[in-house]
Amino acid sequence: MDMAQTASGGLSDDIITQLLLARGVAREDLPRHRAPTLRAFLPDPSEFRDMELAARRLADAIERKEAITIYGDYDVDGATSAALLIRLIRMLGHDARHYIPDRLLEGYGPTGEALVRLGAEGAQLIVTVDCGAMAHEALAMAADAGVEVIVVDHHKCSAELPQALALVNPNRLDESDIGAAHGHLAAVGVAFLLGVALVRVLRGRGWFAGRAEPDLFALLDLVALGTVADVAALHGLNRALVAQGLKVMARRENIGMAALIDASRLNRAPTATDLGFALGPRVNAGGRVGEATLGVRLLTTQDAEEAREIADQLSRLNEERRAIEMAVQEAAEAQIERQGNRSVVVVSGKGWHPGVIGIVAGRIKEKTGKPSLVIALDDDGVGKGSGRSISGVDLGAAIIGARELGFLVAGGGHAMAAGLTVAQDRLEAFADWLDDRLAGDVGRAQGAQSLLLDLAVAPRGLQPELVELLESAGPYGMGWPGPRVAVGPVRVVKADVVGADHLRMIVRGEDGASFKAMAFRAAQTEMGQTLIHGDHGRKLWLAGRARIDDWGSRRAAELHVDDAAWA
């Protein structure tokens, strides 16, 4: 554990200044990062390629009352992106249908058959969200059938773009410098920018003469949920979107979002952590093991009773998802020991539920510290895979490269996550190629890993007031890591295992102060076993995230442990 990075700084610098500087903020840029607002970070949407074209065509459809269908992905980013555009179109006095493909029957992204069918059923304009960037064949089929499609996406693009009326994606290879600087946006963030551009076009056409303009800020709760759940980097614009979106969420104006919060048993305003670990998984459960449309229906309904019923259903599906996930994870981990020293973990199995492979890939990535792909094979010898990467290794670009070389039937994604379709007889060759392609990147990424600390305190210094101060520099997440605090020296007073694999401890410092510490999914690790069975008289330092424990009769601070070292 590297204790070189602390919050000492100069006498004039406070802790927040040090946190921001440690996260790469230039000193002259500190003011706007202390309290991130959209005014300070929102770019001009017209700087993005095809944005104005997409906004004008969508404005035409609204003015002419054309039939619009929003075609979304089945995950949280897709659901929130679709819900945002549907709610905005309603605010503008029109309406839109939604179409969410079934994960098992249709797979990821738009299919040509579905687009053509929607056009035949009357859709005059289709907007795909969180999908479509690599749907060359599907969009070509739609174009041949005269179906107009706008693509709103954030996944990696190939040099040749698919045939669409407009393709709005900051990760286009031909994107402008300003657009490319926002390649970390989730699809829901791109959809929000399209909303800004759409309102501006309609304003220029005089649409709001005698009409109230929509409150775009009211949609930021959707942006926050989709951004955090899609593990998008929380710096720059994303951090501002999530910070403001959490404020909107606390107002509980979206009936479906309020029902989701209640179903998650939160009795306070949600935090960014809640979005990733409580709200997001419930919305995802619909697309993974249930009905794919549940998320969009929940987030667009205007009926409180319907919202409550859908939220409860999603909670039940989330429990079912956990059980399925555990079985697949156990089978996947049994294969890892036979993998040797590969730089990229690739595991596969028949009968694995495609709805949980992404979560399992994330779990394996956390456990091994390597990019991980989990592939579910069907009876026809076709594998559907999902991958999760580590910082510094662009998995999405590698998957696109594998597809272009013929190793994959289909594939795409972004730096930290990717999906693919592969023939079983090509699986071994693909795994070998991927290992060769990424070995250098993985080695460099792992070599650069170190546990950086923002602050070191004595046990008595771990107080709720300190936690609140640290959290004020949030929201935290991917690309904007939460402050890591070292506390010590301490001795372990008590250590036991709770839940499936979590370590709970009571520790006490030389200053007489004691506090609770938790190490999640760590009971069977070397650190966990040492803390449980080691010399409890020996002093050590603990490092992790400081949190508020408000379950007892009084608020207290606790530590969520990432690492430990003997003092």
Side-chain angles (χ1 to χ4, degrees):
M1 142 173 105
D2 182 355
M3 296 185 60
Q5 184 177 341
T6 70
S8 56
L11 292 176
S12 61
D13 286 332
D14 61 14
I15 290 176
I16 300 303
T17 296
Q18 292 300 309
L19 290 175
L20 297 176
L21 292 173
R23 280 147 187 77
V25 177
R27 189 172 289 276
E28 61 271 17
D29 206 20
L30 286 171
R32 71 170 183 156
H33 284 272
R34 280 182 171 272
T37 64
L38 288 191
R39 181 181 295 277
F41 286 95
L42 196 69
D44 182 347
S46 64
E47 295 285 351
F48 292 74
R49 293 200 182 279
D50 281 5
M51 183 71 83
E52 286 299 308
L53 177 59
R56 289 195 299 269
R57 178 63 187 90
L58 199 49
D60 292 343
I62 290 170
E63 288 181 324
R64 300 168 187 163
K65 299 292 184 182
E66 293 179 356
I68 304 171
T69 296
I70 310 299
Y71 193 119
D73 188 22
Y74 37 65
D75 68 358
V76 184
D77 194 16
T80 52
S81 300
L84 184 147
L85 290 181
I86 291 170
R87 293 179 73 90
L88 175 57
I89 290 168
R90 285 180 186 168
M91 292 176 181
L92 295 169
H94 191 35
D95 207 350
R97 295 176 56 198
H98 65 261
Y99 184 88
I100 310 295
D102 184 280
R103 177 188 291 266
L104 299 180
L105 299 179
E106 297 176 83
Y108 167 77
T111 64
E113 293 79 8
L115 293 174
V116 171
R117 184 174 69 252
L118 290 171
E121 292 172 353
Q124 294 165 280
L125 178 64
I126 298 173
V127 183
T128 72
V129 289
D130 196 29
C131 59
M134 294 292 291
H136 295 78
E137 294 179 6
L139 290 170
M141 284 181 63
D144 289 344
V147 179
E148 290 190 308
V149 181
I150 293 172
V151 174
V152 178
D153 203 354
H154 70 131
H155 292 98
K156 296 281 185 180
C157 294
S158 59
E160 180 184 355
L161 296 175
Q163 190 174 353
L165 178 69
L167 195 153
V168 184
N169 185 336
N171 287 304
R172 287 175 56 153
L173 297 182
D174 62 345
E175 186 54 87
S176 68
D177 289 344
I178 291 178
H182 292 87
H184 62 298
L185 286 172
V188 69
V190 183
F192 180 78
L193 290 178
L194 175 58
V196 174
L198 170 61
V199 169
R200 186 168 61 184
V201 168
L202 288 171
R203 185 187 302 124
R205 295 181 181 181
W207 178 257
F208 299 112
R211 294 186 180 94
E213 288 200 15
D215 179 10
L216 287 169
F217 272 61
L219 301 171
L220 288 177
D221 56 348
L222 295 168
V223 182
L225 177 56
T227 299
V228 173
D230 213 52
V231 202
L234 292 192
H235 56 74
L237 177 57
N238 274 350
R239 184 163 166 257
L241 289 169
V242 173
Q244 300 305 316
L246 287 170
K247 296 177 183 177
V248 174
M249 197 174 293
R251 300 203 299 258
R252 296 172 61 92
E253 293 172 351
N254 183 321
I255 291 171
M257 191 74 77
L260 184 63
I261 294 169
D262 291 341
S264 302
R265 298 183 177 89
L266 294 176
N267 54 12
R268 50 168 172 72
T271 65
T273 299
D274 296 324
L275 304 191
F277 291 96
L279 275 64
R282 284 171 166 78
V283 176
N284 254 335
R288 292 186 186 281
V289 298
E291 181 186 339
T293 63
L294 288 174
V296 177
R297 287 171 50 203
L298 173 68
L299 297 172
T300 57
T301 185
Q302 297 168 301
D303 184 312
E305 181 59 25
E306 181 186 26
R308 186 190 64 77
E309 291 175 357
I310 295 176
D312 288 345
Q313 184 178 357
L314 286 172
S315 287
R316 291 192 297 271
L317 288 170
N318 194 43
E319 291 301 318
E320 179 182 339
R321 184 269 305 168
R322 286 177 177 171
I324 296 171
E325 172 197 328
M326 185 176 296
V328 173
Q329 184 171 342
E330 289 177 355
E333 289 184 352
Q335 292 186 22
I336 296 176
E337 298 177 1
R338 303 192 296 270
Q339 294 259 322
N341 195 30
R342 281 188 178 273
S343 297
V344 182
V345 176
V346 180
V347 293
S348 62
K350 287 190 174 180
W352 292 0
H353 197 299
V356 302
I357 55 176
I359 302 174
V360 174
R363 296 272 189 258
I364 293 175
K365 182 259 298 188
E366 291 173 5
K367 194 164 187 176
T368 63
K370 300 176 181 180
S372 300
L373 284 160
V374 179
I375 299 169
L377 299 169
D378 64 20
D379 293 335
D380 296 323
V382 176
K384 298 286 187 179
S386 187
R388 299 293 182 268
S389 194
I390 60 176
S391 295
V393 180
D394 190 337
L395 184 60
I399 294 301
I400 290 174
R403 178 189 179 213
E404 291 175 344
L405 290 173
F407 288 104
L408 303 176
V409 177
H414 47 81
M416 299 302 290
L420 58 89
T421 303
V422 60
Q424 186 173 356
D425 59 6
R426 297 288 286 161
L427 185 53
E428 186 174 350
F430 162 66
D432 290 340
W433 178 87
L434 190 65
D435 197 60
D436 289 340
R437 163 74 180 259
L438 294 179
D441 291 342
V442 172
R444 285 186 289 272
Q446 291 178 331
Q449 287 179 352
S450 60
L451 195 66
L452 300 180
L453 303 176
D454 292 285
L455 190 68
V457 299
R460 195 172 297 281
L462 189 65
Q463 298 292 331
E465 294 76 16
L466 174 64
V467 180
E468 291 167 353
L469 175 63
L470 296 175
E471 289 301 313
S472 68
Y476 299 105
M478 177 64 66
W480 193 263
R484 186 174 283 114
V485 179
V487 188
V490 297
R491 289 184 173 88
V492 176
V493 176
K494 180 183 179 182
D496 57 7
V497 179
V498 295
D501 190 31
H502 309 314
L503 174 61
R504 177 178 59 189
M505 294 174 286
I506 301 295
V507 300
R508 179 177 292 114
E510 294 177 324
D511 57 6
S514 61
F515 60 89
K516 185 171 78 174
M518 294 288 299
F520 295 98
R521 301 189 193 92
Q524 301 305 317
T525 66
E526 181 181 357
M527 179 188 74
Q529 289 296 300
T530 300
L531 291 171
I532 294 171
H533 302 296
D535 181 1
H536 287 181
R538 190 175 177 184
K539 293 183 291 186
L540 51 83
W541 284 85
L542 299 177
R545 288 287 303 274
R547 300 289 197 184
I548 297 292
D549 177 13
D550 51 13
W551 285 98
S553 58
R554 66 179 183 88
R555 295 170 77 245
E558 65 180 24
L559 192 69
H560 291 184
V561 177
D562 295 322
D563 201 359
W566 297 117

